[in-house]
Amino acid sequence: MNIMYSSTRDASRKVTASQAILKGLSEDGGLFVPDQIPVLDVSFSELSNMTYQETAYAVMKQFLTDFTQEELKSCIRAAYDSKFDTEEIAPLVQADGVYYLELFHGATIAFKDMALSILPHLLTTAAKKNQVQNEIVILTATSGDTGKAALAGFADVKGTKIIVFYPKNGVSPIQEKQMITQKGENTHVVGIHGNFDEAQTGVKQMFADQELEKELAEHGYQFSSANSINIGRLVPQIVYYVYAYARLLAKGEIQDGESINVVVPTGNFGNILAAYYAKNMGVPIAKLICASNENKVLYDFFETGKYDKNREFMLTSSPSMDILISSNLERLIYRIAGNDAQKNAALMKQLTSEGVYEITDEMKAGLKDFYGNYASEQETAGTIRELYKKTGYVLDTHTAVAAAVYQKYQAQTGDQTKTVVASTASPFKFTRSVMNAIDESYDSKSDFELADELSKIANVKIPKAIEEIRTAQVLHQTECEVSEMKDVVKRFLHV
Ligand SMILES: *Cc1c(COP(=O)(O)O)cnc(C)c1O
């Protein structure tokens, strides 16, 4: 079966999977969606005997139908290797009756590695398949996690260069150190004198700059995106939900066909959308529990059917979920609108012009599988402390938001269905918030002292990603004004 992709805002544009990956975003501003969600063509008893890599192939081949078997397998091999510190790639750990699906065993110890380890390979393969001769230049604006994961993924990947812009004073010390020590001849990191929004706007302007596009093409370059709206990031994320179900089955924790719930700490809505796609492929998922921090725009949306981004932006201890426009929600809106691009485009236009839209009752019925709630800063910290005291297992702040929301869900519903929580970051990435949650007296220590302390109390080895930056040399020192971003890009590329 051949799956084609079309824009959520214009059904008439159909492209292949590899073309969708190359483009990232459709020209009309919409996101690419598959024209149907394929049903898994292997049984769970077969899947329960598969490795992560084999599962990845079984799932991804059904979406990326214009990739050959050899192409896809070679991408998977290159992505899910010893960069991960466990052969299982995404282990399930049980604590206090909940299964935590640890998605942070990759190079940068956040779940972004699950997709950004493979995206560079999918992208370069897609370029070859479509006779793209140009070198691909990945432009990324980051508030911390995506930048490092994209740098690690694209470092020394032939035929690509990557340029990351981050707000010079807007990321954590560990996040900055991770980025400015990045190795790789093809990597560039720039601290801008501005905030994340300005970095993001600057990058978007370069994408839309036709003169720049022409100049780049003359020098053999073209831009692409490693942002979470790329379908090449969404498809690899479906894999681990299939894998989690198969592992539960293999371990005898569930019966074949038994439903599970999934809880996802959510920001841009990419990770939970992947779980929704997995459910539509046939994974027996009952509830998709969407967990927000104090930026609870999604909770309000699930409650009322009204999406309203006009509100104060909160800075929380789970910064990767501090977001008011969840880009990937558009793919769900499109679907519950009956795959109606026109209807979806009208709502998205309202979001741009007024910052708000409201769905119909009919569309609301399409959300019945979702449950939304949120956790306050205090509830998040309390959840880290309580679980640690009870079991010795230490959650990062993002995963703790999910665990706290799951407790609320259980208290409200009494639902006893077995539940998987997507564990999206290592606690070592947000050490200070995590250690302060456990005991406020830790706050006087330095970041690396805290990592040592965390390692002791959790009985977990300090991840390589942290050890590396302790002594790593700073390799990137470029800073610039927001207005100079384009000049910096041209300088890097000798254009
Ligand atoms: C990006 C991120 C999230 C949010 O994931 P979305 O796909 O954007 O919803 C949650 N936790 C961590 C640690 C992240 O880096």
Side-chain angles (χ1 to χ4, degrees):
M1 194 172 44
N2 211 17
I3 305 258
M4 296 295 284
Y5 290 78
S6 65
S7 164
T8 49
R9 299 189 193 181
D10 179 357
S12 70
R13 297 167 194 267
K14 285 214 185 301
V15 297
T16 62
S18 66
Q19 287 164 344
I21 290 171
L22 270 175
K23 279 171 158 316
L25 196 68
S26 177
E27 287 114 22
D28 52 34
L31 312 193
F32 287 112
V33 279
D35 55 12
Q36 55 178 301
I37 297 182
V39 174
L40 274 171
D41 63 6
V42 280
S43 68
F44 275 104
S45 75
E46 287 169 89
L47 284 162
S48 67
N49 290 315
M50 288 187 190
T51 61
Y52 191 88
Q53 293 81 355
E54 289 164 344
T55 311
Y57 179 69
V59 173
M60 292 176 65
K61 77 171 192 322
Q62 291 196 259
F63 281 95
L64 309 182
T65 51
D66 70 325
F67 284 68
T68 67
Q69 175 169 339
E70 185 37 46
E71 283 169 345
L72 194 50
K73 284 192 170 166
S74 114
C75 289
I76 290 168
R77 247 193 328 268
Y80 303 112
D81 61 5
S82 59
K83 289 191 285 300
F84 286 77
D85 67 8
T86 162
E87 246 173 71
E88 287 177 280
I89 307 294
L92 270 174
V93 174
Q94 198 176 0
D96 197 23
V98 175
Y99 303 95
Y100 290 93
L101 178 62
E102 295 188 347
L103 303 172
F104 55 75
H105 288 272
T108 76
I109 59 176
F111 97 98
K112 305 283 193 295
D113 290 325
M114 300 304 294
L116 281 166
S117 306
I118 195 166
L119 182 68
H121 305 287
L122 295 175
L123 198 64
T124 48
T125 306
K128 252 184 246 150
K129 294 179 79 63
N130 291 280
Q131 283 89 44
V132 172
Q133 305 290 336
N134 290 335
E135 197 164 353
I136 309 236
V137 180
I138 304 291
L139 276 193
T140 305
T142 184
S143 58
D145 278 349
T146 296
K148 177 62 187 184
L151 283 164
F154 280 95
D156 289 328
V157 173
K158 264 216 209 119
T160 72
K161 287 195 189 324
I162 173 160
I163 305 173
V164 169
F165 292 95
Y166 73 94
K168 178 67 194 159
N169 295 313
V171 298
S172 82
I174 292 209
Q175 285 175 321
E176 178 171 48
K177 188 114 196 248
Q178 276 192 308
M179 288 191 278
I180 61 177
T181 57
Q182 177 65 48
K183 291 183 189 148
E185 289 293 319
N186 64 339
T187 64
H188 298 280
V189 180
V190 187
I192 68 153
H193 300 158
N195 61 27
F196 169 68
D197 278 338
E198 290 169 308
Q200 172 100 324
T201 305
V203 165
K204 280 191 178 158
Q205 278 168 357
M206 282 188 267
F207 273 122
D209 187 334
Q210 288 180 355
E211 207 173 299
L212 182 61
E213 187 182 340
K214 217 174 117 221
E215 275 179 89
L216 285 182
E218 282 164 11
H219 290 80
Y221 294 119
Q222 70 187 60
F223 285 141
S224 187
S225 160
N227 201 274
S228 79
I229 40 93
N230 194 318
I231 195 82
R233 273 188 64 177
L234 189 59
V235 171
Q237 292 180 184
I238 302 168
V239 173
Y240 46 75
Y241 291 107
V242 176
Y243 182 70
Y245 189 86
R247 294 317 302 154
L248 286 173
L249 189 60
K251 292 180 190 191
E253 300 287 335
I254 54 169
Q255 305 286 317
D256 200 351
E258 183 177 339
S259 288
I260 61 167
N261 292 328
V262 168
V263 192
V264 186
T266 297
N268 224 359
F269 210 75
N271 201 0
I272 194 166
L273 187 77
Y276 176 70
Y277 278 17
K279 177 181 165 78
N280 283 281
M281 285 189 92
V283 180
I285 296 173
K287 281 284 175 207
L288 296 146
I289 299 171
C290 177
S292 302
N293 64 23
E294 290 178 358
N295 294 291
K296 59 183 184 58
V297 60
L298 286 165
Y299 164 69
D300 293 338
F301 171 68
F302 285 119
E303 285 292 292
T304 64
K306 189 169 161 190
Y307 193 94
D308 186 356
K309 76 164 181 81
N310 300 321
R311 59 181 75 203
E312 196 191 338
F313 183 92
M314 314 287 258
L315 287 172
T316 73
S317 59
S318 45
S320 305
M321 293 157 66
D322 289 345
I323 194 158
L324 294 179
I325 304 178
S326 299
S327 314
N328 276 292
L329 185 67
E330 179 168 348
R331 288 187 165 114
L332 180 65
I333 298 295
Y334 168 82
R335 197 168 157 90
I336 61 173
N339 298 336
D340 186 330
Q342 240 175 336
K343 227 174 178 177
N344 173 67
L347 292 174
M348 293 307 135
K349 205 169 140 197
Q350 261 180 35
L351 181 63
T352 309
S353 59
E354 292 151 49
V356 54
Y357 63 81
E358 189 159 5
I359 61 171
T360 62
D361 284 344
E362 200 187 343
M363 287 172 71
K364 249 180 115 172
L367 299 177
K368 65 177 181 349
D369 300 333
F370 288 88
Y371 167 91
N373 214 325
Y374 71 101
S376 68
E377 286 292 274
Q378 221 176 357
E379 289 166 332
T380 303
T383 300
I384 294 174
R385 185 169 54 246
E386 291 310 315
L387 188 68
Y388 169 66
K389 278 198 187 141
K390 201 163 169 185
T391 67
Y393 187 60
V394 181
L395 300 176
D396 99 282
T397 45
H398 303 72
T399 312
V401 167
V405 162
Y406 178 56
Q407 282 172 13
K408 289 187 182 178
Y409 169 77
Q410 265 199 318
Q412 272 175 22
T413 62
D415 186 358
Q416 293 300 314
T417 306
K418 303 230 167 81
T419 294
V420 170
V421 171
S423 181
T424 51
S426 159
F428 285 94
K429 195 149 192 178
F430 301 94
T431 327
R432 185 164 300 277
S433 301
V434 167
M435 293 304 277
N436 280 348
I438 290 171
D439 186 340
E440 279 171 12
S441 66
Y442 282 122
D443 203 31
S444 57
K445 295 189 188 292
S446 76
D447 284 324
F448 288 111
E449 282 170 345
L450 284 175
D452 291 332
E453 209 60 40
L454 173 56
S455 172
K456 254 187 260 161
I457 67 155
N459 197 19
V460 178
K461 234 177 91 194
I462 297 181
K464 208 166 92 200
I466 299 293
E467 287 296 2
E468 271 172 4
I469 57 168
R470 245 188 235 261
T471 52
Q473 222 187 325
V474 172
L475 300 172
H476 304 274
Q477 294 184 329
T478 308
E479 290 180 30
C480 79
E481 301 303 323
V482 174
S483 60
E484 295 167 342
M485 286 171 65
K486 184 168 153 181
D487 297 331
V488 168
V489 167
K490 286 174 133 184
R491 200 169 75 222
F492 283 151
L493 300 176
H494 307 291
V495 167

